[in-house]
Amino acid sequence: MPTLDGRVVLITGAAGNLGQASARAFATAGARIALVDHNLDALTGLQAEIHGSAAFAADLIQPESVAAMVAQVHQHFGRIDVLANIAGGFTMGPAVHETPDRDWDRMLDLNARTVFNTCRTVIPHMLAQGSGRIINVAARAALEGKAHMAPYCVSKAAVITLTESLAAEHKDRDITVNCILPGTLDTPQNRAAMPDQDHTQWVPPAALADVILFLASDAARCVTGAAVPVYGRS
Ligand SMILES: NC(=O)c1ccc[n+]([C@@H]2O[C@H](COP(=O)([O-])OP(=O)(O)OC[C@H]3O[C@@H](n4cnc5c(N)ncnc54)[C@H](OP(=O)(O)O)[C@@H]3O)[C@@H](O)[C@H]2O)c1
């Protein structure tokens, strides 16, 4: 188990399946945790569970909201060592030629703009500190366009490319930037949506959280610009 004793970790989408699992993994590793989601009430239980954590509300699609949240986190903890960009989401849609602007914009905003907004706001703090670790969440579906999923696939492909650009920009400054490519997560929502599939083949959120923890740790100090597949047995 890697240790992150006292390091400050900002987790977006902390109220969700992977966000909660990651917060617990980082807490077990000794980190101090900033829990970020757009619904502060949804973080109450997790904040109470994780000693020393603090909760912050932000709409990660809105640059002003991200700027205010990052300023609050920095003021509270004094530094930001790790940024785990976990917030994101998925919707199926019609074929591309029938896709309305709002569906396209929604996926690009939720999955790509959120990562752009947090990275550009947190990185100046990491540059001032002289170190940092950023882990973004793309998806297996980023690697090959699927029917009726174009906005999602494109938005997650953008996360991979953004990760590579950021890694190249900061490779000489002890700031690593990597992303993970989850296959289907074993979540209550996926079990409800796909009741006939074998969920033992899927990835438990806690297993994915272990990969995020590794990428944030000193053990991964020479890994940057990677897109790590985490598919379980699917
Ligand atoms: N689940 C899968 O099978 C799967 C597969 C591949 C990749 N992924 C990726 O893995 C990540 C985590 O997935 P998950 O299943 O843990 O998702 P989740 O349970 O839906 O968690 C995402 C969290 O982000 C929050 N959020 C959404 N929009 C936001 C915004 N604009 N500002 C702040 N917070 C916002 C959500 O709040 P609300 O619930 O209130 O919207 C939710 O709490 C996502 O990036 C997802 O795309 C998931």
Side-chain angles (χ1 to χ4, degrees):
M1 163 72 72
T3 60
L4 278 90
D5 273 343
R7 279 181 227 175
V8 177
V9 181
L10 191 167
I11 300 176
T12 75
N17 297 292
L18 182 56
Q20 291 190 39
S22 299
R24 293 188 179 106
F26 277 112
T28 303
R32 295 183 288 159
I33 301 166
L35 304 164
V36 176
D37 211 286
H38 56 173
N39 180 2
L40 208 51
D41 290 343
L43 293 170
T44 308
L46 191 63
Q47 187 192 354
E49 177 189 322
I50 298 178
H51 178 72
S53 66
F56 303 87
D59 179 351
L60 300 165
I61 295 170
Q62 303 300 331
E64 309 78 18
S65 182
V66 172
M69 175 273 291
V70 169
Q72 288 167 21
V73 172
H74 196 265
Q75 186 172 31
H76 184 92
F77 288 105
R79 55 189 296 117
I80 300 171
D81 297 295
V82 178
L83 169 62
N85 278 313
I86 293 175
F90 168 77
T91 45
M92 292 291 287
V96 171
H97 69 280
E98 296 170 331
T99 296
D101 287 347
R102 69 170 184 280
D103 289 11
W104 178 264
D105 291 345
R106 176 67 184 153
M107 284 293 96
L108 269 291
D109 279 349
L110 179 57
N111 290 320
R113 185 177 294 280
T114 53
V115 176
F116 169 62
N117 280 341
T118 56
C119 286
R120 68 173 167 173
T121 312
V122 169
I123 283 173
H125 293 296
M126 292 179 167
L127 286 170
Q129 292 163 193
S131 64
R133 300 280 178 266
I134 298 175
I135 302 95
N136 300 323
V137 179
R140 183 181 197 168
L143 299 179
E144 187 183 9
K146 306 283 184 197
H148 305 292
M149 290 172 50
Y152 177 74
C153 295
V154 169
S155 69
K156 289 298 194 182
V159 173
I160 298 178
T161 309
L162 179 57
T163 298
E164 292 168 348
S165 290
L166 288 163
E169 287 169 2
H170 300 295
K171 65 182 167 56
D172 296 327
R173 297 184 178 89
D174 194 24
I175 297 173
T176 66
V177 189
N178 295 289
C179 67
I180 55 171
L181 311 178
T184 305
L185 292 186
D186 186 5
T187 67
Q189 294 88 340
N190 281 340
R191 287 193 189 201
M194 298 175 274
D196 297 333
Q197 289 203 12
D198 179 1
H199 59 74
T200 65
Q201 307 288 306
W202 298 345
V203 184
L208 204 46
D210 284 344
V211 179
I212 294 172
L213 184 61
F214 164 71
L215 290 170
S217 74
D218 289 342
R221 62 194 176 282
C222 290
V223 182
T224 193
V228 181
V230 191
Y231 300 163
R233 295 199 297 274
S234 63

